[in-house]
Amino acid sequence: MIQIEEAEKILNNVEPQKLIEKIKIKDSLNRVLAQDIISKIDMPPYNKSAMDGYAILSGDDSERFKVIEVIAAGKVPKKEIKKGECSKIMTGAIVPEEADKVVIKEKTKEKEGLVRIIEDDGLVNICYAGEDIKSGDKVLECGAKIRASEVGIISSLGIDSINVYKNPEVGILTTGSEIIEPGKELLKGQIYNSNAYSISAQFAQIGINTKYGGVVPDIREKTREKIYDFFYKVDVLIISGGVSMGDYDYVPGVLEDLGVKLHFTKVAIKPGKPTLFGTMGKKIFFGLPGNPVSTFVIFEVFIKPFIYKMMGHKYSPFFVKGIMREDFRREKTKRASYIPVNYRDGFVDIIEYHGSAHLSSLSKANALLQIPRGVKEILKGTNVNVRQI
Ligand code: AMP
Ligand code: MG
């Protein structure tokens, strides 16, 4: 059995192959940039009116201003504003060069082509050319994950296609003679398959579509056939169940027969001890203990950062600081443990949790609390960092 840090080190030492593809910006959500984004334009590209109003010379204290033209967004101003004059201007339109102030419409009164300022709020209301981004600026770095805001930024620079890293092909396989698919009648001794779907959903949350290989019964030959048949179609194979010490846990043996190098098969983490990680050439194998909370936690702790690395992105989990609302105590301290908690308004509530099969406790949780190995209790009032899920 190895410690979590050691397992992380092993995973960090694997250097995945990263391929690049060009895609349209409309398809880029959740992908990772394989290039820097350098702006070819100033943003905004011209001095732009921030409001609907009247452009004037800022020092002009005339009683009334004659409206000399109306500047709509997209139009180029034609007339030069002088003292005692103004141009009616719309939000987003070019502010005439000599004007250095836009008085918002709400602070004025216009009558027969003459404008009176009712109240000077002292605001300039101009977004200056290049104040957000200058031509030549590096706006985004290679390795950045594209969220909705990045889709917007890249589009705003006039860029319609970008280089991103190719997503890994991920396959999910479920093992267990007791496992049946949802939708069927549950017979004695059977358990509905939740892992295939929850793992696939966890991948979908980070932008990866998975292939599903179905359920394999706990028969060595069948497990072998299925893994042999499936692994070469994907870059990463996730196998749920069958990785532990039971008489019918065939996954580690079958993988070794296949020639997979097993880097670890047990980690000092609770839940999720019998987690397996293997490689064969560039192919990656994760074997997860079948209990659903173990599967969920192992994805969060090990698989997610690893897949992000394959996607070209350096991921760090999002932690929030909270105060324990009650005491937490445990008997065994050999393994670091993750428990479902609820973080709200700066406090951490412990959720009723019966162990790694208790999937419904996860849906009441919005974070995981790590209890380091050796730690027996965390008392009420202690400051802790919880990992958002
Ligand atoms: P295993 O790791 O195969 O020994 O399975 C441990 C526990 O997880 C057993 O109680 C299984 O019934 C349960 N389990 C295994 N696979 C799944 C699955 N796909 N969905 C839900 N529970 C599972
Ligand atoms: Mg099993």
Side-chain angles (χ1 to χ4, degrees), residues 7-294:
E8 284 173 336
K9 215 190 240 163
I10 291 168
L11 293 168
N12 285 338
N13 284 338
V14 175
E15 218 18 85
Q17 179 185 356
K18 291 200 292 267
L19 300 172
I20 293 172
E21 63 183 335
K22 199 173 193 123
I23 60 165
K24 288 284 180 199
I25 192 70
K26 69 179 175 53
D27 302 319
S28 68
L29 183 67
N30 283 326
R31 301 300 296 271
V32 176
L33 275 175
Q35 63 168 99
D36 293 336
I37 298 289
I38 314 281
S39 181
K40 288 199 176 119
I41 58 170
D42 283 344
M43 273 305 280
Y46 49 86
N47 287 351
K48 192 174 79 173
S49 181
M51 302 297 264
D52 296 320
Y54 298 89
I56 61 168
L57 310 175
S58 64
D60 191 349
D61 54 1
S62 304
E63 279 272 305
R64 287 189 164 68
F65 299 82
K66 186 175 168 227
V67 182
I68 56 166
E69 72 173 324
V70 178
I71 312 166
K75 290 279 176 290
V76 179
K78 299 229 160 40
K79 297 197 173 155
E80 192 186 326
I81 302 167
K82 303 196 186 71
K83 189 167 174 357
E85 293 178 345
C86 68
S87 289
K88 191 171 189 182
I89 191 164
M90 308 301 144
T91 304
I94 300 177
V95 177
E97 249 171 60
E98 64 287 355
D100 36 23
K101 179 170 174 145
V102 172
V103 182
I104 64 168
K105 197 164 180 197
E106 292 85 335
K107 306 279 182 199
T108 63
K109 265 228 159 72
E110 184 183 341
K111 206 175 161 193
E112 289 157 7
L114 290 175
V115 173
R116 202 160 49 84
I117 299 174
I118 304 163
E119 183 198 335
D120 184 1
D121 61 9
L123 300 174
V124 170
N125 296 314
I126 299 172
C127 307
Y128 292 102
E131 76 175 14
D132 298 342
I133 295 168
K134 295 216 168 17
S135 172
D137 279 357
K138 188 199 282 185
V139 180
L140 296 169
E141 289 222 2
C142 182
K145 188 178 170 194
I146 301 175
R147 304 166 301 169
S149 52
E150 281 74 27
V151 171
I153 293 162
I154 296 168
S155 308
S156 77
L157 302 175
I159 298 169
D160 72 336
S161 52
I162 48 170
N163 287 330
V164 294
Y165 291 110
K166 274 195 166 162
N167 276 346
E169 293 281 349
V170 178
I172 299 172
L173 210 57
T174 310
T175 74
S177 296
E178 79 283 28
I179 303 301
I180 60 156
E181 297 290 13
K184 296 195 172 148
E185 192 192 345
L186 191 71
L187 302 179
K188 210 167 183 180
Q190 293 186 323
I191 296 279
Y192 282 123
N193 181 10
S194 61
N195 289 349
Y197 304 102
S198 64
I199 300 169
S200 151
Q202 283 179 297
F203 272 103
Q205 277 180 334
I206 62 169
I208 303 276
N209 292 321
T210 49
K211 288 192 168 76
Y212 180 41
V215 184
V216 195
D218 296 317
I219 301 169
R220 191 183 172 102
E221 198 42 42
K222 289 244 153 74
T223 308
R224 205 181 76 92
E225 264 171 32
K226 191 73 196 184
I227 292 179
Y228 275 37
D229 184 46
F230 198 39
F231 88 89
Y232 74 89
K233 296 178 184 154
V234 296
D235 304 311
V236 181
L237 182 58
I238 311 285
I239 306 165
S240 148
V243 291
S244 195
M245 297 299 284
D247 289 355
Y248 304 100
D249 289 335
Y250 295 124
V251 172
V254 165
L255 289 179
E256 278 188 317
D257 288 352
L258 183 67
V260 174
K261 181 168 190 285
L262 299 182
H263 299 272
F264 56 78
T265 56
K266 270 191 192 60
V267 185
I269 182 169
K270 186 184 168 127
K273 182 164 93 175
T275 293
L276 166 163
F277 172 66
T279 55
M280 187 173 63
K282 290 283 168 205
K283 302 262 179 210
I284 305 293
F285 298 81
F286 281 99
L288 309 181
N291 269 315
V293 183
S294 313

